[in-house]
Amino acid sequence: MRINQNQIQENNKTSIKTLEEQFNYTSNTLNNKGVDVNAIIKKLQNLQIAIPSWALGAGGTRFGRFSFFGEPKNLEQKIEDIGILNALTHSAGAVSLHIPWDIPEDYNGIKTLANSLNIKFDAVNSNTFQDQNNAALSYKFGSLSNTSKDIRQQAIQHNIDVINIGKKLGSKSLTVWLADGASFPGQNNFQTALINTENSLKEIYATLPKDWKMLIEYKPFEPNFYSTVIQDWGTSFMLATACGDKAYSLVDLGHHLPNCNIEQIVSTLMYKGKLGGFHFNDSKYGDDDLTVGSIKPYTLFLIFNELVYGMENNPNNPDLEWMIDASHNLKDPLEDLLQSLEAIQEAFAKALLIDQNKLKNAQLNNDIVTCQEILHDAYRTDVRPLVAKARLNLGGAINPIETYRALNVRNQLIKERGKYSIATGL
Ligand code: LRH
Ligand code: MN
């Protein structure tokens, strides 16, 4: 299924007058404050978020999985679904594949399809947290950190294979997330596990093409529940630094212990030029992989404030990889992703309203009240007309979810794919 621009413009007709009124009011108000609204629109349009290939079907937990009908049953259908998101939002112009869940059967075919939908191949993700059917050795007790040299070698080779798959697709980065760790005190020697992991990552790094990045994702717990080898940003930063200039830390918003100050981690990694990218989602308790901005929207705003500051003050930090990493247990996966894309665009737009110089001056004068007033003024500004206008100017939908439902997309997909088609992935 494809959505063409005429269908979207037809559906926009009912909302365009209201949007123009809201946009004129908001942009006049902001222009009077000296904000360059056109520059913000441009930045919003350039922000392309990669959609995870493993989150286009219904997710699940160990307590169950409730199917969502008409799921994409192969990579082609997943790319088509991302094409639908990109047609509606013009901000989902990339896909992040997870290997082996989404190994392309026809590389040229999949590249042609993605190209025709303006979708690029972002980071490729390796998977040494599950045993593949034909695997010689098991990752039950770890992969790159395993005490067995043969098992480490198998995991290293898998990552090299993933890089080679990515090269054929035009991807430029490898994301490594390890489940490696222990669920009981005494089970692992922490130093041995860390040394094995560092040496294994260095072997993978040595095969990285010169224009590629290696993104090291950290996580405090799950599936191991006592220790995780790459448990926090510090360990990821240390390993990335040990590997070399092409290795960076990847921040998955759900991979932090309760009340952790994620925006400060983002600031520190950008200052050190080691922030490689994000897995956006939201959470209340653990790695809940919920819709972006659905639980802690103010934290997302504060993170984007540090990103905006870093993008202006840390030229040593590379362009970031923006990805969503969510799991959809209850909502239509495409509607959930549309909401996440909207939340990311809104947080970025609000953060771009912050006068960083004014904020810096207030900070230098320890004028805390003014600091908070500057943040709250931006956060309390309704930027939805700017985000919608940025989309509309590119041929997108003013209200993506409304248009998605008005065009009856899910029922069309069920008709095309059958009710009980199941997607690979989480
Ligand atoms: C681990 C993680 C990682 C992926 C997986 C699907 O929790 O965030 O990024 O490999 O989810
Ligand atoms: Mn992740």
Side-chain angles (χ1 to χ4, degrees), residues 54 98 101 125 129 177 217 219 252 255 279 287 325 426:
W54 61 90
H98 217 298
W101 292 335
N125 297 262
F129 50 87
W177 169 68
E217 185 176 2
K219 183 175 180 178
D252 183 313
H255 292 184
H279 278 180
D287 188 19
D325 181 2
L426 274 187

Side-chain angles (χ1 to χ4, degrees), residues 55 161 168 204 244 247 323 330 392 397:
D161 298 344
K168 285 190 251 178
I204 298 165
M323 293 166 276
L330 301 172
L392 177 67

Side-chain angles (χ1 to χ4, degrees), residues 91-138:
S91 64
V95 57
S96 182
L97 296 189
H98 217 298
I99 307 296
W101 292 335
D102 299 298
I103 298 178
E105 275 146 27
D106 166 8
Y107 282 87
N108 291 330
I110 210 74
K111 281 199 286 186
T112 308
L113 173 63
N115 249 347
S116 71
L117 295 164
N118 303 320
I119 294 170
K120 290 189 179 49
F121 289 91
D122 205 296
V124 280
N125 297 262
S126 60
N127 176 344
T128 58
F129 50 87
Q130 294 170 328
D131 288 342
Q132 305 314 317
N133 299 342
N134 51 11
L137 303 165
S138 172

Side-chain angles (χ1 to χ4, degrees), residues 341-360:
L341 290 163
E342 178 80 11
I344 294 167
Q345 292 268 337
E346 272 185 43
F348 188 31
K350 287 174 187 262
L352 289 167
L353 296 181
I354 297 168
D355 182 327
Q356 294 290 340
N357 297 329
K358 251 201 200 142
L359 178 60
K360 195 69 177 267

